[in-house]
Amino acid sequence: MGAIVRSETYYRRPSTCTQQKWDAASWPERALIYLEYVLRMRIPRPEGDNGLTAWARIDSGRWLAECPTCGSAQVVTPTDPRMTCCRDFTGWTTLLMPADPDAVEAPLVDLPVTEQFWWNPDDPANPAEDPSPYPPTEPKADPAGGAA
């Protein structure tokens, strides 16, 4: 139980980054600084918007978004709704966030982390929506008396 995790509470300034550089960076940029430290690799900085969008969701108590090209996930924040992928380096992806993220978080904070999930109802990947255009059918009867 507890607050929903955003970039602000997930990514911490690595010892290799000065406080001045950290303070000057936006939250999506801080994610890159942190990931460079953890992954021990240089990550190219995006040069602009890539024209792609990704749906943000709450997953196990964290705001997450998946890269629309490779599917890797990153902890994100509603305060700066964009991300860049540290695997395929496609540029800044715009995140589709709810209009009132605090209202989305409010009913989840008293639940155990294992139950803190939220998907935007318009997200085509929302598991609450039936992805099949066809309704389920009853199994055909077996002429021998059982189900086929």
Side-chain angles (χ1 to χ4, degrees):
M1 290 187 265
I4 303 302
V5 175
R6 298 178 176 194
S7 292
E8 295 91 328
T9 53
Y10 184 79
Y11 299 113
R12 294 286 175 229
R13 181 179 64 85
S15 59
T16 55
C17 178
T18 66
Q19 188 67 50
Q20 183 179 11
K21 181 179 177 182
W22 186 255
D23 292 343
S26 66
W27 280 108
E29 293 165 336
R30 289 179 187 187
L32 295 178
I33 293 168
Y34 174 85
L35 291 169
E36 280 183 327
Y37 177 75
V38 170
L39 298 173
R40 302 280 194 248
M41 63 181 263
R42 296 282 299 144
I43 298 174
R45 295 306 187 257
E47 294 185 14
D49 187 351
N50 61 17
L52 300 173
T53 58
W55 292 94
R57 69 177 188 270
I58 296 175
D59 189 297
S60 294
R62 302 162 297 173
W63 277 103
L64 288 183
E66 292 180 15
C67 172
T69 57
C70 77
S72 67
Q74 191 175 107
V75 176
V76 296
T77 180
T79 60
D80 190 341
R82 60 194 174 119
M83 68 174 279
T84 188
C85 183
C86 62
R87 291 185 66 198
D88 55 18
F89 315 115
T90 58
W92 290 115
T93 297
T94 301
L95 300 179
L96 302 171
M97 290 278 188
D100 188 354
D102 294 328
V104 169
E105 292 177 1
L108 302 176
V109 295
D110 291 328
L111 297 175
V113 172
T114 57
E115 296 177 21
Q116 290 178 333
F117 288 87
W118 175 85
W119 290 71
N120 189 305
D122 296 329
D123 184 344
N126 184 341
E129 302 300 319
D130 183 10
S132 170
Y134 306 104
T137 58
E138 294 295 320
K140 295 181 182 179
D142 181 10

